[in-house]
């Protein structure tokens, strides 16, 4: 009835409550909440005591997960195990699915284990924007572009519900990858419609939440538009599209983390180089492709940064994501240079490190 205990005086009150009723799971839970900022080890012991009394109390399992993830030597596996208990409890909370998937992302858990969890609990997940955002990202990575786009159409996403919302990125990537699928099937007009939609972020999606709108992929959209126009027999529009693709990028790029921003920049360079090839500037394109390989190799040599509790967006990028982005950059360079075997090897390593890296998964699937 009195919300969150924070006064020092409440410590003795809660300890007295535990002595008076040893079967009450809430008293040690509240005491853990009160103590965590100053005595995290003791707080974790209180939460463990609470969980032992009420195994279906999802929030205490979630708190234990945060404790294990933020201790001096983080124990990601232990944190995952607690959040798995939280989402398996009778009363489920959408935030717990988002937090669990962030840990799954850091641990490199395969998509085949992550996506079904969200699908089985779709009604709960849909109650909160950051959980729904991660569900959409998994759909995009799995190639379920129609589902992902449907989930983003019309629903307002609030920046307040999750600091790492990158739903606008999911919108752009889903449309680009669906366009590529249409191009492979000769449905060029459908592809062009998707490419146009990719850079037109609807008002219900907050592009500023992750610092990225469709403009971050202008070169990619222009390249594939050229491919679609060429397939449809319109050589003039194809050349115009490739000229836009090879144009220097505009300044800006939002607030995304450095390593993810580097991956987007490398992707832009790749599509600029492809366009240069189409425009008869093969040597310049080769120089750019070689630079991508070197950038990827250099990034792999860098010491991995510390992993935060979160995934992409405003928080620190995980070592696995750094490695995946580096392999992806190198793969783009090898693709441009025509070394498909080495590109395939780099892409496989990128997907192994970060199974939800949709661009790498799509590129790997396109190779024989």
């Amino acid at each position: 009835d009195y919300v969150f205990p924070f006064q020092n005086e409440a410590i003795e009150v809660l300890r007295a409550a535990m002595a008076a009723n040893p079967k009450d799971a809430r008293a040690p839970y509240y005491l853990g909440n009160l103590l965590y900022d100053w005595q995290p080890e003791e707080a974790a012991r209180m939460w463990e005591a609470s969980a032992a009394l009420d195994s279906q109390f999802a929030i205490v399992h979630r708190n234990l997960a945060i404790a294990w993830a933020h201790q001096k030597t983080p124990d990601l596996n232990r944190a995952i195990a607690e959040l798995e208990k939280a989402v398996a409890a009778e009363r489920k909370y959408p935030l717990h699915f988002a937090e669990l998937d962030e840990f799954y992302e850091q641990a490199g858990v395969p998509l085949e284990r992550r996506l079904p969890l969200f699908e089985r609990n779709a009604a709960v997940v849909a109650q909160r924007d950051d959980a729904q955002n991660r569900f959409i990202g998994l759909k995009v990575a799995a190639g379920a572009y129609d589902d992902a786009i449907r989930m983003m159409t019309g629903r307002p996403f609030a920046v307040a519900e999750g600091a790492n919302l990158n739903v606008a990125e999911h919108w752009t990537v889903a449309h680009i990858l669906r366009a590529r699928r249409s191009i492979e099937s000769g449905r060029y007009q459908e592809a062009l419609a998707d490419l146009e939609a990719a850079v037109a972020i609807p008002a219900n999606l907050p592009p500023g939440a992750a610092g990225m709108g469709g403009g971050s992929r202008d070169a990619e959209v222009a390249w594939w538009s050229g491919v679609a126009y060429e397939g449809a027999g319109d050589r003039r529009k194809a050349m115009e599209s490739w000229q836009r693709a090879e144009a220097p990028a505009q300044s800006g790029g939002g607030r995304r983390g450095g390593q993810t921003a580097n991956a987007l920049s490398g992707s832009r360079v790749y599509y600029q180089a492809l366009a240069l090839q189409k425009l008869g500037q093969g040597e310049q394109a080769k120089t750019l492709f070689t630079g991508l390989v070197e950038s990827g190799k250099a990034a792999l040599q860098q010491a991995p940064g510390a992993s935060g509790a979160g995934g992409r967006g405003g928080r620190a990028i995980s070592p696995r994501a750094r490695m995946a982005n580096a392999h992806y950059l190198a793969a783009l360079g090898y693709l441009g240079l025509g070394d498909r075997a080495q590109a395939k090897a780099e892409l496989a390593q990128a997907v192994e490190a970060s199974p939800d890296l949709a661009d790498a998964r799509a590129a790997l699937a396109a190779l024989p």
Side-chain angles (χ1 to χ4, degrees):
D1 291 342
Y2 295 98
V3 198
F4 192 97
F6 63 91
Q7 306 95 331
N8 285 340
E9 306 92 282
I11 295 175
E12 293 307 316
V13 174
L14 291 167
R15 290 198 185 279
M18 291 169 60
N21 183 5
K23 294 183 180 180
D24 174 23
R26 294 302 187 267
Y29 161 70
Y30 289 131
L31 184 55
N33 291 354
L34 197 161
L35 294 175
Y36 182 70
D37 285 343
W38 304 282
Q39 301 178 44
E41 295 84 2
E42 179 64 14
R45 283 193 286 272
M46 292 298 100
W47 288 333
E48 287 184 309
S50 175
L53 291 167
D54 183 0
S55 63
Q56 288 298 309
F57 188 19
I59 296 174
V60 79
H61 289 298
R62 180 264 182 184
N63 285 8
L64 280 167
I66 299 302
W68 304 144
H70 288 86
Q71 61 186 1
K72 291 181 180 178
T73 303
D75 191 336
L76 189 57
N77 290 332
R78 201 172 179 184
I80 286 173
E82 288 295 339
L83 268 171
E84 287 177 337
K85 293 176 185 177
V87 301
E90 293 173 3
R91 182 176 179 183
K92 304 178 191 300
Y93 297 83
L95 175 62
H96 298 172
F97 289 90
E99 292 176 331
L100 174 58
D101 197 64
E102 288 183 357
F103 288 140
Y104 277 162
E105 180 183 347
Q106 289 183 40
V109 173
L111 215 61
E112 293 76 14
R113 180 176 163 193
R114 294 162 62 184
L115 181 56
L117 176 67
F118 278 76
E119 291 175 334
R120 290 194 302 269
N121 297 277
V124 175
V125 169
Q127 295 171 14
R128 188 177 165 100
D129 286 352
D130 50 3
Q132 186 76 347
N133 175 63
R134 294 198 73 88
F135 190 8
I136 291 166
L138 294 173
K139 284 282 192 181
V140 174
Y145 310 130
D146 292 347
D147 288 347
I149 291 168
R150 191 180 308 113
M151 293 163 69
M152 290 182 280
T153 301
R155 172 185 173 136
F157 283 78
V159 177
E161 285 198 8
N164 290 343
L165 283 186
N166 58 335
V167 65
E169 177 180 357
H170 297 326
W171 174 270
T172 297
V173 174
H175 280 286
I176 290 174
L177 294 181
R178 191 168 72 172
R180 290 172 58 174
R181 184 176 287 174
S182 295
I183 289 171
E184 292 170 2
S185 301
R187 304 191 308 273
Y188 302 115
Q189 294 306 316
E190 291 181 29
L192 289 167
D194 263 327
L195 291 167
E196 183 177 347
V199 295
I201 307 300
N204 61 298
L205 307 183
M212 177 200 170
S216 298
R217 293 180 179 257
D218 280 347
E220 184 176 358
V221 170
W223 161 259
W224 287 111
S225 296
V227 175
Y229 279 124
E230 183 180 49
D234 193 332
R235 182 68 178 174
R236 179 182 64 81
K237 286 189 175 180
M239 294 298 290
E240 290 174 354
S241 297
W242 291 327
Q243 287 168 355
R244 290 198 307 275
E246 66 87 24
Q250 299 295 317
S251 61
R255 306 187 310 262
R256 291 186 65 82
Q259 198 72 18
T260 305
N262 289 343
L264 284 172
S265 177
S267 178
R268 180 185 294 117
V269 169
Y270 172 69
Y271 287 104
Q272 287 175 332
L274 289 178
L276 285 169
Q277 284 183 325
K278 287 289 189 178
L279 297 172
Q281 301 179 53
E283 286 303 312
Q284 187 177 348
K286 184 177 180 180
T287 299
L288 293 178
F289 292 136
T290 302
L292 286 174
V293 173
E294 293 172 352
S295 294
K297 289 181 176 179
L300 287 169
Q301 295 301 316
Q302 294 176 2
S307 171
R312 296 173 182 142
R315 308 181 204 177
I317 190 169
S318 72
R320 277 186 171 274
R322 291 177 187 273
M323 184 183 301
N325 287 332
H327 282 299
Y328 181 57
L329 284 180
L332 292 178
Y334 285 122
L335 277 174
L337 294 171
D339 190 341
R340 295 169 71 87
Q342 189 60 43
K344 189 172 184 178
E346 295 288 347
L347 288 170
Q349 292 181 81
V351 171
E352 181 180 3
S354 186
D356 60 347
L357 189 56
D359 293 299
R361 291 180 71 94
L364 182 60
L367 291 175

